[in-house]
Amino acid sequence: MKKLFFAGLLTAAFALFADEYSDMAAYEPGKSLSWFHSLSQKAQSEDSGAEVASKILDEISKNRGLSPEAFRLACAILKPIADSDCVEVLAPYLYDELRAPSVCDVFLGIDSSSVDEALIKVLGDSSAKRQLRENAAALLAARGTGKKQMIEAANSADKDLALFAVGALARYSDDTGLFSIFDTSVVSALGKIAGMYDYRSKAAVESLCLIAQKAAVNDEEALARKALEFVPLDCPNAVYARSVLMDGEERVKYLDSLIIQGGNLTAAAAKAMNQGRTFENSLELIKRFPNLNKKAKLAAMGSFMIANDTAFYQAIAPELDNPDSDIRGLA
């Protein structure tokens, strides 16, 4: 009798467990989400997480009619527990506009070459919709994989995809180690594009600036300087990276010279002057201060304030009577 009782309990528990997946398969927005909350809780358990992932993938595999919202929620459960076993089931949905973003969320945390292979396949498929190829490009860039294929996409005949890929290349950086000679150089590829002066050139310069900035703050000086070789001297977004590569006094002189010019680099120079300002190393700027244009004067005062030295008061005080309300207000 006891055996029958326990067998009945197990049968009932199995039926309840199975119903969660049936409810997932039949889910439409507005219906009960009890299946989602129950499976989410089970997925957190080491004992049942793998089984939950397996059953969800099985349901997705046999039920192509799963609603977009049910698919999204199923992927939300899978995201923290999925491994490379999910790639074969989910990869085809990289070609589905409604479901591809959810697949990308799951794939983001899976360390497997099979994920990269699936993404590279979509990126290189000229018959796929551009948005789907961009989804694949964005995820490859986030994972730091597929550099060679991303460079190829940046030279694609599809102008929109090419422009997107040029921007995505900013997420990569060149190898600076012993085997860097064998590395596909993203900096060289971007430099070549920047030098073509076509619709991608501006985006290529911006990507080079981001790579240079990241390299400069990570003490990869050679890489930063290489990236900056392809960036025009009048590019505001390169000011910070260039300044980081200089020693203290040289840095202050460089940034102050840009502030004094009062041109398109002035704001970037003032923003980059976030440390190292002293009254003693600011004498040239103080000397020029009364005759600076509005943009330069505001930038200079902002950097004086960061120094937190009352010695700058003598330079700023006359501006309390300046007829320009912006200068007077900052003073």
Side-chain angles (χ1 to χ4, degrees), residues 131-178:
Q131 182 59 53
L132 298 172
R133 299 176 77 184
E134 289 181 359
N135 287 341
L139 185 51
L140 282 168
R143 291 168 62 83
T145 55
K147 183 193 291 188
K148 178 177 178 291
Q149 291 78 13
M150 194 70 70
I151 292 172
E152 291 173 357
N155 290 285
S156 167
D158 184 327
K159 289 187 175 183
D160 290 323
L161 177 64
L163 196 59
F164 186 91
V166 168
L169 284 171
R171 300 289 295 271
Y172 297 85
S173 62
D174 286 346
D175 187 359
T176 56
L178 183 62

Short mmCIF file of all heavy atoms in Angstrom, two decimals, residues 131-178:
data_model
loop_
_atom_site.label_atom_id
_atom_site.label_comp_id
_atom_site.label_asym_id
_atom_site.label_seq_id
_atom_site.Cartn_x
_atom_site.Cartn_y
_atom_site.Cartn_z
N GLN A 131 19.84 43.39 -40.09
CA GLN A 131 19.70 43.47 -38.64
C GLN A 131 20.20 42.20 -37.96
O GLN A 131 20.82 42.25 -36.89
CB GLN A 131 18.23 43.70 -38.27
CG GLN A 131 17.98 43.84 -36.77
CD GLN A 131 18.77 44.99 -36.16
OE1 GLN A 131 18.69 46.12 -36.62
NE2 GLN A 131 19.55 44.70 -35.12
N LEU A 132 19.96 41.06 -38.59
CA LEU A 132 20.43 39.79 -38.02
C LEU A 132 21.95 39.70 -38.09
O LEU A 132 22.59 39.20 -37.16
CB LEU A 132 19.79 38.63 -38.77
CG LEU A 132 18.26 38.56 -38.67
CD1 LEU A 132 17.71 37.49 -39.60
CD2 LEU A 132 17.83 38.29 -37.23
N ARG A 133 22.53 40.20 -39.16
CA ARG A 133 23.99 40.20 -39.29
C ARG A 133 24.60 41.17 -38.28
O ARG A 133 25.67 40.90 -37.71
CB ARG A 133 24.38 40.57 -40.71
CG ARG A 133 23.86 39.58 -41.75
CD ARG A 133 24.19 40.01 -43.17
NE ARG A 133 25.58 39.75 -43.51
CZ ARG A 133 26.15 40.10 -44.65
NH1 ARG A 133 25.44 40.76 -45.57
NH2 ARG A 133 27.42 39.83 -44.89
N GLU A 134 23.92 42.28 -38.03
CA GLU A 134 24.40 43.23 -37.03
C GLU A 134 24.30 42.65 -35.62
O GLU A 134 25.17 42.90 -34.77
CB GLU A 134 23.63 44.53 -37.14
CG GLU A 134 23.97 45.34 -38.38
CD GLU A 134 23.22 46.65 -38.47
OE1 GLU A 134 22.41 46.94 -37.56
OE2 GLU A 134 23.42 47.39 -39.45
N ASN A 135 23.23 41.88 -35.35
CA ASN A 135 23.12 41.20 -34.06
C ASN A 135 24.34 40.31 -33.84
O ASN A 135 24.95 40.31 -32.76
CB ASN A 135 21.86 40.32 -34.01
CG ASN A 135 20.59 41.11 -33.88
OD1 ASN A 135 20.60 42.27 -33.48
ND2 ASN A 135 19.48 40.51 -34.23
N ALA A 136 24.68 39.54 -34.87
CA ALA A 136 25.83 38.63 -34.78
C ALA A 136 27.12 39.42 -34.60
O ALA A 136 28.00 39.04 -33.79
CB ALA A 136 25.90 37.76 -36.03
N ALA A 137 27.26 40.52 -35.33
CA ALA A 137 28.46 41.35 -35.22
C ALA A 137 28.62 41.92 -33.82
O ALA A 137 29.71 41.92 -33.24
CB ALA A 137 28.42 42.47 -36.25
N ALA A 138 27.52 42.41 -33.27
CA ALA A 138 27.57 43.01 -31.93
C ALA A 138 27.99 41.99 -30.88
O ALA A 138 28.79 42.30 -29.98
CB ALA A 138 26.21 43.61 -31.58
N LEU A 139 27.47 40.77 -31.00
CA LEU A 139 27.81 39.75 -30.01
C LEU A 139 29.24 39.27 -30.18
O LEU A 139 29.95 39.03 -29.20
CB LEU A 139 26.83 38.58 -30.10
CG LEU A 139 26.99 37.49 -29.05
CD1 LEU A 139 27.01 38.09 -27.64
CD2 LEU A 139 25.88 36.46 -29.16
N LEU A 140 29.69 39.12 -31.41
CA LEU A 140 31.09 38.75 -31.64
C LEU A 140 32.03 39.79 -31.04
O LEU A 140 33.04 39.46 -30.41
CB LEU A 140 31.37 38.60 -33.14
CG LEU A 140 30.87 37.31 -33.80
CD1 LEU A 140 30.95 37.44 -35.32
CD2 LEU A 140 31.67 36.10 -33.33
N ALA A 141 31.70 41.07 -31.24
CA ALA A 141 32.53 42.14 -30.69
C ALA A 141 32.53 42.10 -29.17
O ALA A 141 33.57 42.30 -28.53
CB ALA A 141 32.02 43.49 -31.18
N ALA A 142 31.36 41.85 -28.58
CA ALA A 142 31.27 41.77 -27.12
C ALA A 142 32.09 40.60 -26.58
O ALA A 142 32.67 40.68 -25.49
CB ALA A 142 29.81 41.64 -26.69
N ARG A 143 32.15 39.53 -27.35
CA ARG A 143 32.92 38.35 -26.95
C ARG A 143 34.40 38.49 -27.30
O ARG A 143 35.24 37.71 -26.84
CB ARG A 143 32.34 37.10 -27.63
CG ARG A 143 30.97 36.71 -27.14
CD ARG A 143 30.33 35.66 -28.04
NE ARG A 143 31.08 34.41 -28.09
CZ ARG A 143 31.00 33.43 -27.18
NH1 ARG A 143 30.16 33.56 -26.16
NH2 ARG A 143 31.70 32.32 -27.29
N GLY A 144 34.72 39.46 -28.17
CA GLY A 144 36.11 39.65 -28.59
C GLY A 144 36.59 38.57 -29.54
O GLY A 144 37.79 38.29 -29.61
N THR A 145 35.67 37.99 -30.29
CA THR A 145 36.02 36.91 -31.22
C THR A 145 35.62 37.30 -32.64
O THR A 145 34.86 38.24 -32.85
CB THR A 145 35.31 35.60 -30.82
OG1 THR A 145 33.89 35.84 -30.73
CG2 THR A 145 35.81 35.09 -29.48
N GLY A 146 36.13 36.55 -33.61
CA GLY A 146 35.76 36.81 -35.00
C GLY A 146 36.35 38.10 -35.56
O GLY A 146 35.74 38.74 -36.41
N LYS A 147 37.54 38.46 -35.11
CA LYS A 147 38.15 39.72 -35.56
C LYS A 147 38.33 39.75 -37.08
O LYS A 147 38.01 40.74 -37.74
CB LYS A 147 39.49 39.93 -34.87
CG LYS A 147 40.16 41.25 -35.22
CD LYS A 147 41.63 41.28 -34.77
CE LYS A 147 41.78 41.30 -33.28
NZ LYS A 147 43.19 41.52 -32.88
N LYS A 148 38.85 38.66 -37.62
CA LYS A 148 39.09 38.60 -39.06
C LYS A 148 37.78 38.78 -39.83
O LYS A 148 37.73 39.55 -40.82
CB LYS A 148 39.72 37.25 -39.40
CG LYS A 148 39.99 37.03 -40.89
CD LYS A 148 40.69 35.70 -41.10
CE LYS A 148 40.93 35.42 -42.59
NZ LYS A 148 39.67 35.17 -43.31
N GLN A 149 36.74 38.12 -39.39
CA GLN A 149 35.45 38.21 -40.08
C GLN A 149 34.83 39.60 -39.91
O GLN A 149 34.14 40.08 -40.81
CB GLN A 149 34.49 37.13 -39.55
CG GLN A 149 34.87 35.72 -39.93
CD GLN A 149 36.00 35.13 -39.09
OE1 GLN A 149 36.37 35.68 -38.04
NE2 GLN A 149 36.54 34.00 -39.52
N MET A 150 35.10 40.24 -38.79
CA MET A 150 34.57 41.59 -38.57
C MET A 150 35.26 42.58 -39.51
O MET A 150 34.61 43.50 -40.03
CB MET A 150 34.78 42.02 -37.12
CG MET A 150 33.97 43.25 -36.73
SD MET A 150 32.20 42.92 -36.64
CE MET A 150 32.15 41.88 -35.17
N ILE A 151 36.54 42.40 -39.73
CA ILE A 151 37.26 43.25 -40.67
C ILE A 151 36.70 43.06 -42.08
O ILE A 151 36.54 44.02 -42.84
CB ILE A 151 38.77 42.96 -40.62
CG1 ILE A 151 39.35 43.42 -39.28
CG2 ILE A 151 39.50 43.64 -41.77
CD1 ILE A 151 40.79 43.01 -39.04
N GLU A 152 36.40 41.81 -42.42
CA GLU A 152 35.80 41.53 -43.73
C GLU A 152 34.44 42.22 -43.85
O GLU A 152 34.11 42.80 -44.90
CB GLU A 152 35.63 40.02 -43.92
CG GLU A 152 36.95 39.28 -44.07
CD GLU A 152 36.79 37.77 -44.08
OE1 GLU A 152 35.64 37.30 -43.90
OE2 GLU A 152 37.79 37.06 -44.27
N ALA A 153 33.65 42.20 -42.76
CA ALA A 153 32.34 42.85 -42.77
C ALA A 153 32.49 44.36 -42.91
O ALA A 153 31.65 45.02 -43.52
CB ALA A 153 31.57 42.51 -41.50
N ALA A 154 33.55 44.91 -42.33
CA ALA A 154 33.79 46.35 -42.42
C ALA A 154 34.11 46.78 -43.85
O ALA A 154 34.04 47.97 -44.16
CB ALA A 154 34.94 46.75 -41.49
N ASN A 155 34.43 45.82 -44.69
CA ASN A 155 34.70 46.10 -46.10
C ASN A 155 33.61 45.51 -47.00
O ASN A 155 33.82 45.32 -48.20
CB ASN A 155 36.06 45.55 -46.49
CG ASN A 155 37.21 46.31 -45.86
OD1 ASN A 155 37.53 47.41 -46.27
ND2 ASN A 155 37.83 45.74 -44.83
N SER A 156 32.45 45.25 -46.38
CA SER A 156 31.34 44.65 -47.11
C SER A 156 30.74 45.62 -48.12
O SER A 156 30.81 46.84 -47.96
CB SER A 156 30.26 44.21 -46.11
OG SER A 156 29.05 43.89 -46.75
N ALA A 157 30.11 45.05 -49.14
CA ALA A 157 29.41 45.88 -50.13
C ALA A 157 28.15 46.51 -49.54
O ALA A 157 27.66 47.52 -50.04
CB ALA A 157 29.06 45.04 -51.35
N ASP A 158 27.65 45.89 -48.47
CA ASP A 158 26.49 46.45 -47.75
C ASP A 158 27.00 47.61 -46.90
O ASP A 158 27.65 47.41 -45.87
CB ASP A 158 25.86 45.36 -46.88
CG ASP A 158 24.59 45.83 -46.16
OD1 ASP A 158 24.51 47.02 -45.80
OD2 ASP A 158 23.71 44.99 -45.94
N LYS A 159 26.70 48.81 -47.31
CA LYS A 159 27.27 49.99 -46.65
C LYS A 159 26.85 50.10 -45.18
O LYS A 159 27.66 50.48 -44.32
CB LYS A 159 26.88 51.26 -47.40
CG LYS A 159 27.57 51.40 -48.75
CD LYS A 159 27.27 52.75 -49.38
CE LYS A 159 28.05 52.94 -50.67
NZ LYS A 159 27.83 54.28 -51.27
N ASP A 160 25.60 49.80 -44.89
CA ASP A 160 25.13 49.90 -43.50
C ASP A 160 25.82 48.88 -42.61
O ASP A 160 26.22 49.18 -41.49
CB ASP A 160 23.61 49.71 -43.44
CG ASP A 160 22.85 50.87 -44.05
OD1 ASP A 160 23.31 52.02 -43.89
OD2 ASP A 160 21.81 50.64 -44.68
N LEU A 161 25.97 47.66 -43.10
CA LEU A 161 26.66 46.63 -42.33
C LEU A 161 28.13 47.00 -42.16
O LEU A 161 28.70 46.84 -41.07
CB LEU A 161 26.55 45.27 -43.03
CG LEU A 161 27.31 44.12 -42.35
CD1 LEU A 161 26.72 43.83 -40.98
CD2 LEU A 161 27.29 42.86 -43.23
N ALA A 162 28.75 47.51 -43.22
CA ALA A 162 30.16 47.90 -43.15
C ALA A 162 30.38 48.98 -42.11
O ALA A 162 31.32 48.91 -41.31
CB ALA A 162 30.63 48.38 -44.52
N LEU A 163 29.48 49.96 -42.07
CA LEU A 163 29.60 51.04 -41.10
C LEU A 163 29.42 50.52 -39.69
O LEU A 163 30.13 50.92 -38.75
CB LEU A 163 28.55 52.11 -41.41
CG LEU A 163 28.73 53.48 -40.77
CD1 LEU A 163 30.06 54.10 -41.17
CD2 LEU A 163 27.59 54.40 -41.16
N PHE A 164 28.48 49.58 -39.51
CA PHE A 164 28.25 48.98 -38.19
C PHE A 164 29.49 48.21 -37.75
O PHE A 164 29.92 48.29 -36.59
CB PHE A 164 27.04 48.04 -38.25
CG PHE A 164 26.64 47.48 -36.92
CD1 PHE A 164 25.71 48.14 -36.14
CD2 PHE A 164 27.19 46.30 -36.45
CE1 PHE A 164 25.34 47.63 -34.90
CE2 PHE A 164 26.83 45.79 -35.21
CZ PHE A 164 25.89 46.46 -34.44
N ALA A 165 30.09 47.45 -38.67
CA ALA A 165 31.26 46.65 -38.34
C ALA A 165 32.46 47.52 -37.98
O ALA A 165 33.23 47.19 -37.08
CB ALA A 165 31.60 45.73 -39.50
N VAL A 166 32.61 48.65 -38.67
CA VAL A 166 33.70 49.58 -38.34
C VAL A 166 33.57 50.05 -36.90
O VAL A 166 34.56 50.12 -36.16
CB VAL A 166 33.70 50.78 -39.32
CG1 VAL A 166 34.64 51.88 -38.80
CG2 VAL A 166 34.14 50.33 -40.70
N GLY A 167 32.35 50.37 -36.48
CA GLY A 167 32.12 50.77 -35.10
C GLY A 167 32.38 49.63 -34.13
O GLY A 167 32.95 49.82 -33.05
N ALA A 168 31.98 48.41 -34.52
CA ALA A 168 32.17 47.24 -33.66
C ALA A 168 33.65 46.92 -33.46
O ALA A 168 34.04 46.37 -32.43
CB ALA A 168 31.44 46.03 -34.25
N LEU A 169 34.48 47.26 -34.43
CA LEU A 169 35.91 46.97 -34.32
C LEU A 169 36.58 47.73 -33.17
O LEU A 169 37.68 47.37 -32.74
CB LEU A 169 36.62 47.30 -35.64
CG LEU A 169 36.41 46.28 -36.76
CD1 LEU A 169 36.95 46.81 -38.08
CD2 LEU A 169 37.07 44.94 -36.42
N ALA A 170 35.92 48.76 -32.66
CA ALA A 170 36.46 49.48 -31.51
C ALA A 170 36.53 48.60 -30.27
O ALA A 170 37.28 48.89 -29.33
CB ALA A 170 35.60 50.71 -31.22
N ARG A 171 35.74 47.52 -30.26
CA ARG A 171 35.73 46.62 -29.10
C ARG A 171 36.95 45.70 -29.08
O ARG A 171 37.23 45.06 -28.06
CB ARG A 171 34.45 45.75 -29.11
CG ARG A 171 33.14 46.53 -29.08
CD ARG A 171 32.89 47.16 -27.73
NE ARG A 171 32.73 46.17 -26.68
CZ ARG A 171 31.54 45.63 -26.35
NH1 ARG A 171 30.44 45.99 -27.01
NH2 ARG A 171 31.45 44.75 -25.37
N TYR A 172 37.64 45.61 -30.19
CA TYR A 172 38.81 44.73 -30.29
C TYR A 172 40.08 45.54 -30.05
O TYR A 172 40.09 46.76 -30.12
CB TYR A 172 38.90 44.10 -31.68
CG TYR A 172 37.75 43.21 -32.05
CD1 TYR A 172 36.58 43.73 -32.60
CD2 TYR A 172 37.83 41.82 -31.88
CE1 TYR A 172 35.53 42.90 -32.97
CE2 TYR A 172 36.78 41.00 -32.25
CZ TYR A 172 35.63 41.54 -32.79
OH TYR A 172 34.59 40.72 -33.15
N SER A 173 41.16 44.85 -29.81
CA SER A 173 42.48 45.49 -29.78
C SER A 173 43.51 44.49 -30.26
O SER A 173 43.28 43.28 -30.22
CB SER A 173 42.84 45.98 -28.37
OG SER A 173 42.91 44.90 -27.47
N ASP A 174 44.61 44.98 -30.73
CA ASP A 174 45.64 44.10 -31.28
C ASP A 174 46.43 43.39 -30.19
O ASP A 174 46.59 43.91 -29.08
CB ASP A 174 46.61 44.90 -32.16
CG ASP A 174 45.98 45.28 -33.50
OD1 ASP A 174 44.94 44.70 -33.83
OD2 ASP A 174 46.53 46.14 -34.19
N ASP A 175 46.91 42.24 -30.51
CA ASP A 175 47.78 41.49 -29.61
C ASP A 175 49.11 42.23 -29.46
O ASP A 175 49.69 42.69 -30.44
CB ASP A 175 48.03 40.09 -30.20
CG ASP A 175 48.79 39.18 -29.24
OD1 ASP A 175 49.14 39.64 -28.14
OD2 ASP A 175 49.02 38.02 -29.60
N THR A 176 49.55 42.38 -28.22
CA THR A 176 50.83 43.06 -27.98
C THR A 176 51.87 42.08 -27.41
O THR A 176 52.93 42.49 -26.98
CB THR A 176 50.65 44.22 -26.98
OG1 THR A 176 50.06 43.71 -25.77
CG2 THR A 176 49.75 45.28 -27.56
N GLY A 177 51.53 40.80 -27.42
CA GLY A 177 52.43 39.80 -26.86
C GLY A 177 53.46 39.28 -27.84
O GLY A 177 53.68 39.84 -28.92
N LEU A 178 54.04 38.17 -27.47
CA LEU A 178 55.13 37.57 -28.23
C LEU A 178 54.71 37.19 -29.65
O LEU A 178 55.48 37.28 -30.60
CB LEU A 178 55.66 36.34 -27.49
CG LEU A 178 56.85 35.60 -28.09
CD1 LEU A 178 58.07 36.51 -28.16
CD2 LEU A 178 57.15 34.35 -27.29
#
